[in-house]
C-alpha cells in the first residue's frame, strides 16, 4: 500500500471531548488531496516531510472548516491528528474558536505552553 489512513476512537473518558485520533502516511509521491469540512478542530503533528500547509516536524491547529481545502502531500508525509468534537478544543486553549475558523495556525499560538 502506498498510502494509509487510520482512525482510532478515544477512551470513554475522553469520548466527550475527542472524536478520533487519526494517522495518515503517504509513500506514493506528491498529490493533491481534498480535505472535507467536518465541523471539528484538529491538533495535527507532522512527523514527516513538509506538506503545502504544515512544515516538517511541527504541530498545527486546524480550526473548524466550513468549506473544503486542498492540501499537497509529498512522498514521506506522516501526520498524526487529534480531532476534537465541535467546540471542544476550547478545553485546552483560551483562544476564541471563531478566530481560527477556516484557518491553520501554529500550535504555539493556540497552546502557548507547548515548547
Amino acid at each position: 500500500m502506498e498510502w494509509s489512513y487510520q482512525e482510532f476512537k478515544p477512551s470513554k473518558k475522553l469520548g466527550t471531548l475527542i472524536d478520533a485520533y487519526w494517522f495518515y502516511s503517504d509513500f506514493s509521491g506528491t498529490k493533491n488531496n481534498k480535505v472535507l469540512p467536518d465541523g471539528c478542530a484538529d491538533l495535527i503533528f507532522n512527523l514527516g516531510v513538509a506538506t503545502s500547509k504544515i512544515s516538517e516536524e511541527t504541530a498545527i491547529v486546524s480550526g473548524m472548516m466550513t468549506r473544503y481545502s486542498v492540501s499537497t502531500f509529498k512522498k514521506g508525509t506522516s501526520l498524526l491528528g487529534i480531532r476534537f468534537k465541535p467546540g471542544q478544543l476550547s478545553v485546552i486553549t483560551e483562544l476564541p474558536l471563531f478566530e481560527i475558523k477556516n484557518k491553520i495556525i501554529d500550535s504555539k499560538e493556540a497552546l502557548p505552553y507547548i515548547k
Side-chain angles (χ1 to χ4, degrees), residues 63-74:
M64 180 189 81
M65 295 169 51
T66 60
R67 58 186 178 269
Y68 80 90
S69 71
V70 177
S71 291
T72 302
F73 298 140
K74 302 174 186 171

Side-chain angles (χ1 to χ4, degrees), residues 9-10 12 14-20 38-42 82-90 97:
K9 289 295 177 189
K12 276 189 172 185
L14 293 175
T16 58
L17 302 174
I18 296 172
D19 180 62
D38 59 11
C40 299
D42 290 76
I82 303 170
R83 181 182 314 122
F84 290 85
K85 289 189 174 180
Q88 296 305 310
L89 180 67
S90 62
L97 298 183

